[in-house]
Amino acid sequence: SGQDERCKTYLRLYWYTVLESGQNTGNQRKGASPLMNYGEIKNYDIANGEGVRVSLFVSGCTHHCKNCFNPETWNFEYGKPFTKETENYIIECLSPSYIDGLSLLGGEPFEPDNQKVLLPFLRRVKNDLPNKTIWCYTGYLFDKELLNESRARCEFTDKMLSLIDVIVDGEFIQDLYDISLAFRGSSNQRIIDVQKSLESGEIKLHNLISRNI
């Protein structure tokens, strides 16, 4: 489709710019601020949130869960640099009406270094595409670690939470793995309606949970 071709064009332009500038795409954190790497972008993802979504897998994670499905992304320097061209590409891929929204995975989106980069990008998504939902997968607990003092909480956390619709929280625990669960890997993980939870001051689970999904 025309949308797909424009997405591919953005990628070609991005890599042309990288090669021309002589950047080392595998190791960009040193000497650059702010900068985040990412491992993958999935354009038509139906496994990580409701509907058809664009999923961004960021690099860097300090949880190191046993049997993590994506251990290569523990390394903050894994993958490619997240640049303005990457942003443009994702925005373009989010634009079609059949795309329901953006999902953030990793790696760990709520590592403070990643929050610094993701915050302005999420603002852009909400500004340019206000009807798209944002889901975020995090190993940090929403109430105990993102809203209270922890290694994740920083100056960007509250602002980032204000832009996210749904959080799937909690580390993956192999002993609680359940293949029947929708949009999460282990039964300890919660699908949280972020805005309702922030408004009420208590955890409000997404309606998927009340429907036993």
Side-chain angles (χ1 to χ4, degrees):
S1 70
Q3 295 284 0
D4 289 341
E5 287 304 314
R6 284 193 288 274
C7 289
K8 292 175 183 177
T9 299
Y10 274 123
L11 273 185
R12 286 195 293 268
L13 289 172
Y14 162 65
W15 282 113
Y16 176 79
T17 303
V18 168
L19 292 171
E20 285 296 299
S21 62
Q23 296 180 51
N24 174 3
T25 60
N27 186 5
Q28 286 295 306
R29 281 172 60 79
K30 297 176 182 178
S33 178
L35 187 63
M36 177 184 75
N37 279 16
Y38 71 97
E40 184 180 5
I41 297 168
K42 290 186 177 180
N43 295 351
Y44 310 107
D45 191 356
I46 59 172
N48 295 299
E50 284 190 294
V52 182
R53 314 186 66 78
V54 176
S55 292
L56 169 66
F57 293 77
V58 305
S59 296
C61 180
T62 57
H63 298 293
H64 298 182
C65 300
K66 180 181 178 181
N67 291 335
C68 170
F69 81 106
N70 222 5
E72 62 273 15
T73 63
W74 295 353
N75 185 348
F76 283 86
E77 297 180 352
Y78 173 77
K80 314 175 193 68
F82 186 83
T83 66
K84 195 68 174 179
E85 288 76 17
T86 316
E87 284 192 19
N88 293 342
Y89 170 70
I90 295 174
I91 292 291
E92 186 70 20
C93 292
L94 282 168
S95 297
S97 59
Y98 56 82
I99 297 294
D100 292 277
L102 171 70
S103 291
L104 302 173
L105 306 94
E108 172 56 71
F110 273 98
E111 297 294 358
D113 283 351
N114 290 340
Q115 291 184 52
K116 184 187 304 184
V117 179
L118 287 171
L119 176 58
F121 173 56
L122 296 187
R123 282 175 172 156
R124 182 181 175 193
V125 171
K126 283 296 187 182
N127 182 68
D128 292 1
L129 302 164
N131 294 324
K132 307 293 182 178
T133 59
I134 297 176
W135 281 51
C136 181
Y137 285 74
T138 176
Y140 294 109
L141 294 175
F142 175 74
D143 46 346
K144 295 181 179 178
E145 294 174 292
L146 296 182
L147 295 180
N148 288 289
E149 193 66 31
S150 72
R151 72 175 188 265
R153 187 165 172 80
C154 65
E155 61 187 295
F156 310 107
T157 307
D158 287 339
K159 294 173 183 176
M160 190 159 148
L161 288 172
S162 73
L163 299 167
I164 293 172
D165 298 286
V166 178
I167 273 182
V168 181
D169 80 338
E171 295 184 356
F172 172 73
I173 298 177
Q174 180 62 49
D175 290 344
L176 299 177
Y177 171 69
D178 184 346
I179 196 172
S180 70
L181 297 171
F183 308 134
R184 58 204 193 280
S186 54
S187 59
N188 62 296
Q189 296 173 317
R190 303 174 294 182
I191 305 178
I192 296 172
D193 187 316
V194 176
Q195 299 312 309
K196 286 184 179 179
S197 298
L198 292 175
E199 290 168 9
S200 68
E202 58 184 22
I203 296 293
K204 296 292 185 182
L205 297 179
H206 192 281
N207 62 20
L208 285 169
I209 302 297
S210 63
R211 286 148 48 195
N212 295 318
I213 296 176

